Amino acid sequence: MEPVILAKGAAGKCFSDLVKACEDHFNWYYPECVNTNDHKTVMCPPVFPFGYVAPTGEASGAMELSKVEEDTIRGDTAELRIFHLLEKFGEKTKQPMFVLTQLNLSEFLKNVLQQNLPADHPVLKNNFNGEIDFVIIHRKIGVILMEVKSNFEFDKRPQSKARKQLDKVEEIILSLIKADDEPEIGVAVYKVIAMPNVSEQCRGNSNFIGLREFDVRSDGNFSDWWLSKFCEIDFDIRKQQKLQNIISIFVGQRSEVNSVVLSRVFKRINTQNFLQKSYKKGVKGAAADRYEVVSKPAEDSEQAILSRQFLFLNPEQLRIWNSGSHTIFNGSSGSGKTILLQFRALRCAKAAQQKVVVVVPMPLIALYKDFFSQNGISLEIMEVLSPVDFFNGSYFESDATSRFHFFADELQAFQTDIPDLSTRLEKVMASFVESECYCWIAYDYMQRNENATSLDVTGGLSSGAKLQNEARNLCKTYGFHHASCLKTVVRSTLEIYDYVQGFVKNSLEDMLKKALTSEHIDEKTKRTFIAFVERYDISNYLGHRVCGPSVAVFEHSELGDIVRIIASEISKWTTEDALNRVAILVTSQFLKENLSQLMTMEKIPVCDVGQQTNGVVLDYGYKAHSYEWPVVIAVSCTQDQCLSSNYIMLTRAVTRLVVIKSIYSR
């Protein structure tokens, strides 16, 4: 008989036995937790997976939540309270358990049972839809199932619903425990109905355990409740193995992250559904700064992804959108600079039918042209040029700027090809002083100029500080508006954001120490760099809580090891027909050609940034301006002052980041 389903393993292996597939995933992700009672509490996932979190405060540009909004998300709030209690209790008392949240009763579980139970087994007739709020698998207690109901007063209906759900999951758990036809081995399954908002004591039922407001009021109350309800015992080898089997199935299933899962996270970031509620609230009462929906000019829902990225603007972005026709702005990677620029240029082209000139680094030209053509803008109206073509061409030399709208993105990247950028930019701005046409320029002052030589010890970051000062001075001279820095990151997962913020902070502090002790840097440059570091002060904010896969960090010296890691990541995160979802970005001292040859030998097709082919992008990080990939593998040399000395877009819509530190270089 053919297997019901094949599961793809971490290294591209296929399993017909789904239990073995789960064990393989579990062993790969949690090698320290295999067949042992001596491990810490594992929260899976480590961050509570909200279906929706209303963003609050400056971090999202949203207003403070009203009571009405709190009520609408109180289900998540109740579960979050339990999640935090379990996490704190587990860490403090060193409970050897796995805590899984919002576990779907999926077809996967049904297929596992079909492979291990008779075809007429009653559990297979169950409907495998729905989810269980918490599944806790404890090495010395057994399995604890928990459903959370958020009512403020006791109600029989949600309690009855919780009982039915718990009974269904209990039947599945017991079927998995007994699937090998062994006699009863005594692994307990507990069922908990949690009502953390209900103050009255639980009404007795011998088959269910109650968790009420009194029990979760404090950490101490929760500890007392736990100790009174569950008894720890030392399981024998058979019971330990059975629990390990259950853990592997549930945790292994959750850990099997593939391109489908990655696509869901990527889509959530792109559509920004998590910010819709803040927009609706802002529309109701905002008088001065009206929230504005950015229209979607593309009629076809399958048009370019960039035309669907912004549903509305948060206050930071709105201030730029309404800032006037002559504006220069900067901001963190992933804060929305490129989208603001593109949509404003698109609106100019559609509304006035005037000439629009967009200047972007060479790798971005195809991206911009695709965006405008898919939104119905002809090349007669819109022209996308590289910095060299613009500043050395007829538009710049003929002083015809008053007759077209001008937009420039990633200005900091122009410094490589245009040494006298400040002088040329001054000429452009001067020509727009009396013009009603738009002149918008965006840059990222944190990006490293790869070819900067003024301050090597800082990895070229001083050029970003210098550019920012020059832009501010030019704005004062010619009456342009220099907008406040965009600091809300709206295109990143929580895991990537946390990693990058810590990484950048440590790197900046390290570079600052080296700059201050260097004998080759004058005092003025030192002061500039100090001001730059202090002004940055890691003051970015994450405007949401979209969870994604964790960041992986490796240290390898051999190219062969690096290629094996790359091959494994490609196998896990994408398919053969979507290799362009992955980018390998290297620093300038890394010999890209050798890595390319080895990848080609491993039959991994590669291409450069901007090429429209089905291949893994392999290029230098400083060419990755405004490009986005779900999977980014960043390779740097140890003598390259680690990763932060190069601009690698870690905080964009990246949902899997792999950092490889290597001593291999040119």
Side-chain angles (χ1 to χ4, degrees):
M1 179 178 177
E2 290 294 322
V4 177
I5 191 173
L6 288 176
K8 184 179 180 182
K13 298 181 293 184
C14 287
F15 296 85
S16 59
D17 186 330
L18 297 186
V19 175
K20 290 191 180 300
C22 285
E23 289 175 350
D24 181 73
H25 281 291
F26 179 84
N27 295 347
W28 193 83
Y29 279 93
Y30 299 102
E32 72 283 3
C33 300
V34 178
N35 296 323
T36 177
N37 289 333
D38 185 23
H39 66 77
K40 63 181 181 180
T41 294
V42 179
M43 308 300 289
C44 186
V47 179
F48 190 80
F50 277 116
Y52 166 72
V53 179
T56 58
E58 190 175 2
S60 63
M63 302 177 191
E64 187 175 351
L65 284 178
S66 67
K67 185 67 169 63
V68 175
E69 284 183 309
E70 289 176 354
D71 288 345
T72 62
I73 64 168
R74 65 182 185 272
D76 278 343
T77 304
E79 291 176 40
L80 182 60
R81 187 192 303 183
I82 303 295
F83 178 89
H84 285 158
L85 283 169
L86 287 167
E87 185 177 35
K88 291 170 67 176
F89 174 74
E91 291 179 356
K92 184 177 180 180
T93 59
K94 300 181 180 179
Q95 300 290 320
M97 63 183 181
F98 278 81
V99 179
L100 291 92
T101 63
Q102 297 182 351
L103 187 73
N104 290 323
L105 306 180
S106 63
E107 285 297 311
F108 184 88
L109 280 177
K110 188 173 184 178
N111 286 323
V112 169
L113 290 169
Q114 283 180 327
Q115 291 190 349
N116 293 276
L117 296 175
D120 59 349
H121 196 285
V123 76
L124 295 176
K125 298 178 182 179
N126 280 344
N127 181 359
F128 276 76
N129 293 328
E131 67 177 25
I132 183 79
D133 291 328
F134 290 95
V135 175
I136 304 166
I137 309 172
H138 196 292
R139 300 282 191 179
K140 295 184 178 182
I141 293 175
V143 181
I144 303 170
L145 308 175
M146 188 182 297
E147 271 293 293
V148 182
K149 298 302 177 186
S150 59
N151 301 65
F152 287 97
E153 295 180 357
F154 178 78
D155 191 329
K156 288 184 178 180
R157 287 171 295 179
Q159 178 166 343
S160 176
K161 184 178 179 181
R163 287 179 178 177
K164 291 178 181 178
Q165 189 75 345
L166 289 168
D167 284 338
K168 181 197 295 187
V169 181
E170 180 190 32
E171 189 177 6
I172 293 172
I173 296 289
L174 292 175
S175 298
L176 288 169
I177 291 175
K178 301 174 183 178
D180 51 11
D181 295 325
E182 288 187 11
E184 176 61 49
I185 63 170
V187 174
V189 179
Y190 300 89
K191 295 176 290 185
V192 178
I193 299 177
M195 294 185 175
N197 296 319
V198 176
S199 58
E200 61 187 277
Q201 293 295 321
C202 179
R203 302 181 183 187
N205 187 306
S206 59
N207 294 324
F208 297 89
I209 298 172
L211 177 63
R212 299 295 175 88
E213 193 271 345
F214 176 81
D215 303 313
V216 301
R217 192 176 297 167
S218 68
D219 295 350
N221 284 9
F222 183 80
S223 298
D224 292 341
W225 172 85
W226 180 279
L227 294 174
S228 68
K229 301 301 181 184
F230 309 116
C231 180
E232 292 189 8
I233 59 176
D234 291 324
F235 290 135
D236 60 31
I237 296 298
R238 288 193 310 121
K239 294 178 182 179
Q240 291 178 21
Q241 185 56 48
K242 184 56 66 175
L243 278 173
Q244 180 68 50
N245 181 260
I246 298 297
I247 292 173
S248 296
I249 290 174
F250 282 98
V251 179
Q253 176 195 6
R254 175 65 63 85
S255 298
E256 186 182 359
V257 245
N258 53 33
S259 58
V260 176
V261 177
L262 195 63
S263 295
R264 294 195 193 108
V265 182
F266 192 65
K267 184 177 180 181
R268 286 186 66 190
I269 295 175
N270 275 334
T271 56
Q272 300 186 34
N273 292 328
F274 42 80
L275 292 175
Q276 288 186 37
K277 200 162 191 176
S278 289
Y279 161 67
K280 292 176 181 177
K281 181 173 181 178
V283 169
K284 291 179 182 178
D289 274 351
R290 290 294 294 180
Y291 286 57
E292 180 175 351
V293 175
V294 177
S295 61
K296 303 176 185 178
E299 295 179 358
D300 187 349
S301 62
E302 296 302 316
Q303 288 282 5
I305 195 169
L306 287 178
S307 67
R308 302 195 302 270
Q309 282 179 335
F310 262 18
L311 300 178
F312 63 94
L313 304 178
N314 67 30
E316 278 190 349
Q317 298 152 348
L318 181 64
R319 283 190 287 271
I320 293 175
W321 187 258
N322 294 332
S323 62
S325 57
H326 301 159
T327 298
I328 296 181
F329 57 97
N330 66 359
S332 304
S333 178
S335 60
K337 301 185 300 296
T338 293
I339 307 300
L340 284 166
L341 197 94
Q342 286 179 323
F343 273 102
R344 179 56 74 185
L346 188 62
R347 180 163 291 190
C348 286
K350 280 185 170 290
Q353 289 297 304
Q354 287 180 289
K355 186 74 176 182
V356 177
V357 176
V358 179
V359 182
V360 294
M362 183 67 75
L364 283 182
I365 290 179
L367 189 72
Y368 269 77
K369 285 184 175 180
D370 287 345
F371 172 72
F372 293 124
S373 66
Q374 290 173 359
N375 284 284
I377 305 301
S378 69
L379 294 179
E380 295 178 357
I381 298 295
M382 178 77 64
E383 191 159 0
V384 183
L385 302 172
S386 70
V388 172
D389 289 339
F390 173 77
F391 287 109
N392 294 338
S394 58
Y395 285 113
F396 182 75
E397 296 298 336
S398 64
D399 293 325
T401 52
S402 61
R403 296 193 296 273
F404 64 82
H405 299 282
F406 177 79
F407 296 87
D409 195 10
E410 304 288 359
L411 180 70
Q412 75 286 340
F414 296 5
Q415 298 173 102
T416 301
D417 298 320
I418 311 296
D420 57 341
L421 177 63
S422 180
T423 302
R424 305 221 184 179
L425 184 61
E426 184 175 4
K427 181 178 179 181
V428 170
M429 294 173 67
S431 66
F432 273 92
V433 170
E434 303 297 330
S435 172
E436 295 182 357
C437 290
Y438 271 83
C439 179
W440 272 23
I441 299 169
Y443 68 97
D444 182 351
Y445 78 97
M446 273 300 295
Q447 177 178 336
R448 176 194 179 190
N449 179 4
E450 186 74 10
N451 294 333
T453 58
S454 61
L455 190 53
D456 291 337
V457 71
T458 67
L461 284 173
S462 64
S463 62
K466 182 180 178 182
L467 176 63
Q468 189 176 49
N469 289 332
E470 290 175 348
R472 291 181 186 277
N473 292 333
L474 287 174
C475 285
K476 291 179 181 178
T477 301
Y478 295 104
F480 274 55
H481 173 63
H482 192 287
S484 299
C485 181
L486 288 167
K487 291 186 176 181
T488 301
V489 177
V490 295
R491 301 184 52 71
S492 175
T493 70
L494 180 64
E495 288 76 6
I496 302 292
Y497 174 84
D498 284 345
Y499 177 83
V500 171
Q501 290 304 294
F503 192 94
V504 172
K505 181 178 181 180
N506 292 335
S507 299
L508 281 178
E509 290 176 350
D510 180 62
M511 286 188 289
L512 180 58
K513 290 178 183 177
K514 293 180 179 178
L516 294 178
T517 57
S518 175
E519 298 178 355
H520 306 291
I521 305 173
D522 58 65
E523 289 302 318
K524 181 180 179 181
T525 306
K526 286 182 180 180
R527 288 195 299 271
T528 300
F529 186 58
I530 291 172
F532 170 80
V533 173
E534 290 176 347
R535 187 164 60 247
Y536 180 73
D537 72 10
I538 318 301
S539 55
N540 294 328
Y541 308 101
L542 185 64
H544 57 83
R545 289 294 184 273
V546 176
C547 296
S550 60
V551 179
V553 180
F554 300 93
E555 292 192 18
H556 284 283
S557 58
E558 299 295 333
L559 272 179
D561 295 331
I562 295 174
V563 172
R564 279 189 287 275
I565 294 172
I566 291 171
S568 175
E569 293 295 317
I570 292 171
S571 173
K572 284 187 296 180
W573 294 99
T574 191
T575 57
E576 292 183 359
D577 59 346
L579 294 175
N580 52 11
R581 296 168 57 85
V582 182
I584 296 103
L585 303 178
V586 301
T587 51
S588 60
Q589 294 189 22
F590 195 89
L591 194 54
K592 169 187 148 185
E593 291 75 14
N594 288 1
L595 183 57
S596 175
Q597 291 176 4
L598 280 179
M599 290 178 64
T600 303
M601 291 172 60
E602 293 293 327
K603 299 182 179 179
I604 303 174
V606 299
C607 63
D608 294 330
V609 170
Q611 291 185 4
Q612 304 296 317
T613 59
N614 181 33
V616 176
V617 173
L618 173 59
D619 216 323
Y620 296 109
Y622 63 86
K623 293 185 178 181
H625 317 292
S626 293
Y627 261 88
E628 296 174 349
W629 300 272
V631 183
V632 169
I633 302 172
V635 185
S636 67
C637 303
T638 52
Q639 63 264 43
D640 235 357
Q641 302 205 26
C642 222
L643 199 59
S644 68
S645 65
N646 203 347
Y647 174 74
I648 298 179
M649 27 63 70
L650 304 182
T651 55
R652 297 187 189 280
V654 181
T655 44
R656 170 63 169 175
L657 171 64
V658 178
V659 178
I660 304 176
K661 301 176 182 177
S662 173
I663 63 172
Y664 181 89
S665 63
R666 294 182 179 275

